[in-house]
Amino acid sequence: MAANMGSMRILIKGGKVVNDDFTQEADVYIENGIIQQVGKELMIPGGAKVIDATGKLVLPGGIDTSVHMQDSFMNAAIQDDFYSGTKAALMGGTTMVMALVLPEQHCSLLDAYENCRGQADAKACCDYALHVGVTWWGSKVRNEMETLVREHGVNSFQMFMAYKDFMMLRDSELYQAMQTCKDIGAIARVHAENGELVAESAKEALDLGISGPEGIEISRPEELESEATHRAVTIANRARCPIYLVNVSSMSAGDMIAAAKMQGKVVHAETTVAHAVLNGMQYYHQDWAHAAAHVIVPPLRIDPNTPGYLMGLLGNDTLSVVASEHRPFSTKQRALGKEDFTKIPHGVAGVQDRMSVIWERGVVTGKMDENRFVAVTSSNAAKIYNLYPRKGRIIPGADADVVVWDPDATRTISVSTQVQGGDFNLYEGLRCHGVPLVTISRGRLVCENGVFMCAEGSGKFYPQRTFPDFLYKKMVQREKVHSLSYHSVTSLTVKLLLTHPSYCTQAYKGVARDPYSGDVAMVANTMKKELGLGPIDGDMPNKGLQGARVHQGVRDLHESSFSLSGSQVDDHIPKRSSARILAPPGGRSSGIW
């Protein structure tokens, strides 16, 4: 069935083709899983299935860059496998998902990747790709990152500054991981929160008797995100590595990203549907199950202006991508933390509703137009992850991932009608304009008017190429400019060298100079004591004075200089008469100093 559908001829007539940069009235002809023609009055062979898109929009299929399927997290099994999860994605207009592989600490990244591939290949209904988490650091991790890039089609790795004692990397490890990403041409994804202070804040909240879901919001304030965001951007800049920040949740973190972009740093970022639509007052709901169902990290923010602000940042290109961060759990699973909010599994559902909710809250409200909608739900992801223009664009030669979208039709979201996993929907009762009428994946008609027609396992792993131009092209040019600008300066200036044959990084070179030939000071005895040094050249040995102190004429304020022998070490210094200090530092005194 899948093979027959893959060879279908499909003609989409009368619609408006929407790409991220322009909209045109055009027909789209699809054959052999590829878009063959886009235009008016096309000459096509007979036998094609005709889809009438009059009055509708024809969009590139959505790309959801952050989903979690068929895995476990925080002692709970995720409620979607790759079949139900990708089915929900296709029903919502998303034709490609990017799932995160999370190896356990000190376990092989390659083994975790292979295990995930084995699960996904048997079940996925649409194209998928994999990010691999870097949950610990060492030479083995570095070597396996290179192998994953070179041999297995992985081009992105995710690092965590949160989840202390679980997945968090120290700054030095993060720096080395980013340097590795730069060397192999991968995308460095970073979850930015100050993990050390999150852990301390969680302890303090529990000590105060705060055990409910509101503890998530209390223990992870946005300043811990903005601080970590600044630190992540700084580390990436020092490593000469483009950075991609995930789960941006706050106005201050968004401002930090905007400032970094203004400074010319190569920074891209994604937020989630939940963060761009909901606020943190949900955690203070009287119903524990309702509050716990919104637990995601970073948490939803208490400031009611935050969602609109983040949606605006999506509209003005400060934030590049909106993902679902799909990781559904049941109420029963979330109840693992009924007495301790730190044990509530982090995750919400959203892969099915992402496109419609963003259309409703982004396009219908005027925060973005239809072209920007395509950019944040599909095209930008394709560019960043080196899939463009095979994905994320409707042009001849591109993969036939196409959605016929009705901007005027409405649907009301409900957990009772969702395909995705979980027993709670964050957007319950939300009436959304923007409905996918037809979804085509690699030329296969997989969904039409709410009817799903796709075989389990008919999706394919999509290997990704390294060094995406969208991220690395500017880095290369900067290296060239730096190299030229430093070429003719004096030897007193640090010279930048090109070290990578294709995508270069800066290397530092020391200044050539004659060696210093003057005197060298002796190490003071107190410093020798601190450093544990023995006698060095020029020291006078303490002959016959084992255990006795040898005074060098410098008073040691840590020990008394008074000697019962009568003579003192400072007898040679002229004495001055005592003086009354009227206003000494720290306050007046009536005594003699």
Side-chain angles (χ1 to χ4, degrees), residues 466-593:
T466 55
F467 291 110
D469 280 347
F470 199 66
L471 297 183
Y472 279 93
K473 209 169 189 177
K474 284 188 284 189
M475 308 298 284
V476 176
Q477 185 61 28
R478 290 176 187 181
E479 302 300 343
K480 291 178 181 177
V481 171
H482 285 146
S483 178
L484 290 172
S485 64
Y486 281 95
H487 183 69
S488 60
V489 297
T490 68
S491 61
L492 296 177
T493 306
V494 177
K495 185 176 179 181
L496 300 174
L497 303 175
L498 298 177
T499 58
H500 195 285
S502 55
Y503 286 86
C504 306
T505 59
Q506 294 175 357
Y508 295 113
K509 184 178 181 181
V511 178
R513 57 168 68 91
D514 294 333
Y516 175 76
S517 59
D519 295 335
V520 178
M522 293 186 298
V523 178
N525 278 353
T526 52
M527 185 174 292
K528 285 174 58 182
K529 183 177 179 181
E530 291 172 6
L531 299 178
L533 299 176
I536 60 173
D537 292 343
D539 276 358
M540 294 297 294
N542 300 337
K543 295 181 180 178
L545 294 177
Q546 288 88 348
R549 177 176 176 84
V550 177
H551 292 287
Q552 304 269 335
V554 177
R555 179 168 293 181
D556 184 347
L557 297 180
H558 294 284
E559 296 187 27
S560 172
S561 61
F562 182 76
S563 170
L564 293 178
S565 65
S567 60
Q568 306 300 322
V569 296
D570 56 357
D571 282 347
H572 63 287
I573 300 175
K575 303 295 189 294
R576 67 176 184 142
S577 58
S578 62
R580 182 183 297 274
I581 305 300
L582 298 178
R588 296 179 61 84
S589 171
S590 59
I592 300 297
W593 285 49

Side-chain angles (χ1 to χ4, degrees), residues 419-433:
V419 175
Q420 65 192 11
D423 56 7
F424 188 93
N425 195 302
L426 300 181
Y427 317 105
E428 186 73 30
L430 178 63
R431 184 168 175 264
C432 288
H433 295 81

